[in-house]
Amino acid sequence: MMAQAVSNIRRPRARKTGPLRREEDMSAQARIDGVPIGAPSLDIIMARLAAIVGDRASAAPGVRADHGRSEAYHAARPPDVVVFPETTAEVQAIVNLCRELDLPLVPFGAGTSLEGNAAALHGGVCLDMGRMNQMLEIHAEDMDVRVQPGITRKQLNAQLRDTGLFFPIDPGADASIGGMTSTRASGTMAVRYGTMKDNVLALEVVLADGRAIRTARRAKKSAAGYDLTRLFVGAEGTLGVITEITLKLHPQPEAISSAVCAFPDLKAAVDTAIGVIQSGVPVARIELLDAVMMRGMNLHSRLGLPEVPHLFFEFHGSSAYVTEQAETAQAIAADNGGQGFQWAVTPEERTRLWHARDNTLYAGLALRPGAKAMITDVCVPISRLADCLVDTAADLVECGLVAPVVGHVGDGNFHLLVLIDPQDPEELARAKAFNERLVRRAIALDGTCTGEHGIGMGKMDFLALELGEAVDAMRLLKGALDPHGILNPGKIFKPHPPTQGSAP
């Protein structure tokens, strides 16, 4: 893919760019009033990157293709070059080079995003953070840890095992901590431990001008100035490149118990989840799987459970406290018609249960071999969750789509895997129309268009519907921190075209 080096923010005129070319085709960039009219040659870019990182940069088609794909249904959009930094200083040098040559720069973690968050829409340079994967510093007495962005959650917890502490945020995939921070991830245990925004204490970020800043110290609270940490958490790499993260840790629970329970319908399952939360039971996980998803899980994971809506529970604490929590949840489930409360007490049983839950993507795909999953999510106040789910199920029947549901119902968040033939334009159009109705339904219930996947390139059209003029404030922040628009361009919101005759 030959990319155009385009800029999206605060430019006085449209950029006249051409594709990256070999050095023999172009000795220098022509300029008009200081604005380049031709992109730099690929050979020049590779030579400049080699001076920074040696042989840790590649334009090989296979490497580029690996960094253009994700778990999203969106078409692959590979970069022109992939570079693998190992230090913050190298990241700064790469950012400075991209600013000088006006190249798009897209940070990349583990490639598990679901809304095209790391797609290289305009080509350019992909910054693969996988080699910056160290646990730098742990303060067990303060229950915090400082890590590089490329470390994954499983790698981090393996290194924490002997400390008596763990990092609980679990989005399902073994995502990188940097990617989880950039997309404000959460997952199955958010109902008890919060999301990334609740567990990131401080960041080191390289800005678009090449400066490295620290957003906070390690103190558990601060009233000093703007909360820059939360500004960058969820910014999807559009405001800066995260190079270090300080995380809050939690004690490993003394006892863990899991259970599954079947319900006659979706409403009964959701009412049970609401009852458990409102009763003050500090459940660690409470996951909803509808009848369609249970059929897929039986096909993929051989669980042998009834193909009706289920709740999956997990309880953390002391042995006595876990027993008390479980008994309360079981009684609430029984009041709502729940049957067959099955316990998974041993580590092997729990692992099998939650491994099946983590593989719901593949379970869903087992329902329609050869299909592609359009994965989407919304989140509503839990008091409106039953209404949203029941109306969504009726919508799916009416439009003739197969879409298994899995939800973090303890916080009102649910996901759908809309199974489609990507080669069928009519089916794709029906799926997109359904997704729009789903989002509008959630927003009408005072919810959000995405509980944890982020906006990326897939939900930009819904952000203004949800937040209105706040999107203009986001544009102002983007323009101030990234005036040339080089950082992950084309994500979160579309830039306003310049008004004729207006100042840049």
Side-chain angles (χ1 to χ4, degrees):
M1 171 182 166
M2 294 289 102
Q4 294 185 343
V6 297
S7 177
N8 290 314
I9 303 294
R10 300 180 66 183
R11 277 301 193 185
R13 56 179 61 80
R15 184 72 57 77
K16 300 178 181 179
T17 61
L20 299 184
R21 287 174 280 178
R22 297 291 173 184
E23 190 169 12
E24 58 268 22
D25 297 330
M26 176 178 166
S27 60
Q29 293 188 72
R31 306 180 79 86
I32 297 177
D33 296 332
V35 179
I37 63 171
S41 75
L42 182 59
D43 288 338
I44 289 174
I45 294 170
M46 292 299 291
R48 296 287 299 274
L49 287 171
I52 300 170
V53 298
D55 62 359
R56 287 179 280 112
S58 176
V63 175
R64 292 171 48 232
D66 286 344
H67 291 78
R69 291 190 290 259
S70 69
E71 299 288 356
Y73 71 93
H74 307 285
R77 301 296 291 270
D80 292 297
V81 181
V82 181
V83 61
F84 301 85
E86 294 181 346
T87 66
T88 297
E90 288 183 350
V91 173
Q92 290 179 275
I94 295 164
V95 169
N96 284 329
L97 176 63
C98 289
R99 187 181 69 256
E100 175 191 341
L101 300 181
D102 217 0
L103 295 173
L105 178 65
V106 182
F108 185 91
T112 58
S113 62
L114 295 171
E115 289 293 354
N117 311 72
L121 299 183
H122 303 289
V125 177
C126 172
L127 198 63
D128 186 317
M129 309 300 285
R131 296 197 181 204
M132 296 180 65
N133 62 356
Q134 301 301 305
M135 185 172 74
L136 300 173
E137 191 175 52
I138 182 167
H139 301 93
E141 64 279 9
D142 293 321
M143 295 196 297
D144 65 58
V145 65
R146 183 165 60 92
V147 301
Q148 291 181 306
I151 193 171
T152 69
R153 65 176 185 86
K154 289 183 179 179
Q155 289 171 341
L156 175 59
N157 278 322
Q159 295 184 47
L160 292 172
R161 189 171 292 125
D162 294 335
T163 68
L165 303 169
F166 82 122
F167 183 66
I169 309 304
D170 177 7
D174 189 20
S176 70
I177 297 297
M180 291 169 62
T181 302
S182 291
T183 54
R184 203 183 303 135
S186 51
T188 59
M189 287 196 274
V191 64
R192 174 158 182 172
Y193 297 102
T195 72
M196 287 301 288
K197 73 178 177 63
D198 305 302
N199 288 276
V200 175
L201 297 174
L203 298 169
E204 179 184 79
V205 182
V206 174
L207 301 179
D209 63 8
R211 286 180 295 167
I213 65 167
R214 289 195 176 274
T215 62
R217 301 287 185 172
R218 288 195 303 114
K220 289 297 188 288
K221 65 179 183 178
S222 171
Y226 297 157
D227 190 346
L228 293 179
T229 303
R230 291 202 177 178
L231 176 63
F232 290 102
V233 174
E236 300 185 27
T238 62
L239 301 179
V241 179
I242 295 171
T243 51
E244 288 183 12
I245 305 118
T246 302
L247 298 168
K248 182 192 301 184
L249 300 177
H250 298 261
Q252 294 176 11
E254 174 189 325
I256 300 175
S257 182
S258 299
V260 296
C261 185
F263 291 87
D265 52 45
L266 282 173
K267 187 176 186 303
V270 173
D271 286 346
T272 298
I274 293 172
V276 169
I277 299 300
Q278 291 180 342
S279 296
V281 177
V283 61
R285 306 197 230 200
I286 182 166
E287 296 287 293
L288 169 71
L289 298 97
D290 76 343
V292 181
M293 180 59 82
M294 291 305 301
R295 184 161 68 251
M297 291 183 73
N298 282 340
L299 286 170
H300 183 262
S301 299
R302 304 286 190 264
L303 289 183
L305 293 171
E307 293 174 1
V308 296
H310 275 70
L311 289 179
F312 285 29
F313 297 90
E314 186 165 279
F315 308 95
H316 292 179
S318 66
S319 296
Y321 194 35
V322 162
T323 299
E324 181 183 342
Q325 294 175 48
E327 289 174 349
T328 301
Q330 187 170 3
I332 294 170
D335 289 343
N336 287 288
Q339 296 180 349
F341 218 88
Q342 299 182 34
W343 295 99
V345 179
T346 69
E348 294 78 15
E349 291 172 333
R350 291 199 309 271
T351 297
R352 180 170 180 262
L353 182 68
W354 291 106
H355 181 74
R357 161 59 187 87
D358 286 345
N359 282 280
T360 48
L361 169 59
Y362 307 106
L365 292 173
L367 293 166
R368 188 178 176 186
K372 182 81 172 176
M374 176 189 284
I375 306 173
T376 187
D377 84 311
V378 294
C379 187
V380 297
I382 60 169
S383 62
R384 311 305 301 273
L385 181 59
D387 293 338
C388 192
L389 276 167
V390 169
D391 290 348
T392 297
D395 191 352
L396 285 167
V397 171
E398 185 173 342
C399 67
L401 292 169
V402 177
V405 175
V406 57
H408 315 311
V409 287
D411 47 24
N413 183 202
F414 67 94
H415 312 256
L416 293 100
L417 285 67
V418 187
L419 302 177
I420 58 171
D421 176 0
Q423 306 305 316
D424 184 341
E426 186 276 334
E427 191 170 59
L428 180 60
R430 269 192 293 136
K432 289 183 175 180
F434 163 77
N435 187 41
E436 179 171 349
R437 292 193 299 274
L438 169 69
V439 169
R440 289 182 177 276
R441 184 179 302 121
I443 292 174
L445 295 172
D446 210 13
T448 175
C449 66
T450 174
E452 59 186 17
H453 295 174
I455 295 295
M457 59 185 282
K459 287 193 170 176
M460 289 190 293
D461 291 335
F462 303 125
L463 189 61
L465 177 66
E466 180 176 332
L467 297 178
E469 293 186 1
V471 179
D472 287 333
M474 296 181 192
R475 288 192 177 95
L476 290 173
L477 288 167
K478 171 71 171 174
L481 290 173
D482 182 21
H484 299 290
I486 64 169
L487 295 176
N488 206 7
K491 308 296 170 57
I492 299 185
F493 49 76
K494 298 175 181 177
H496 274 321
T499 304
Q500 188 173 4
S502 64

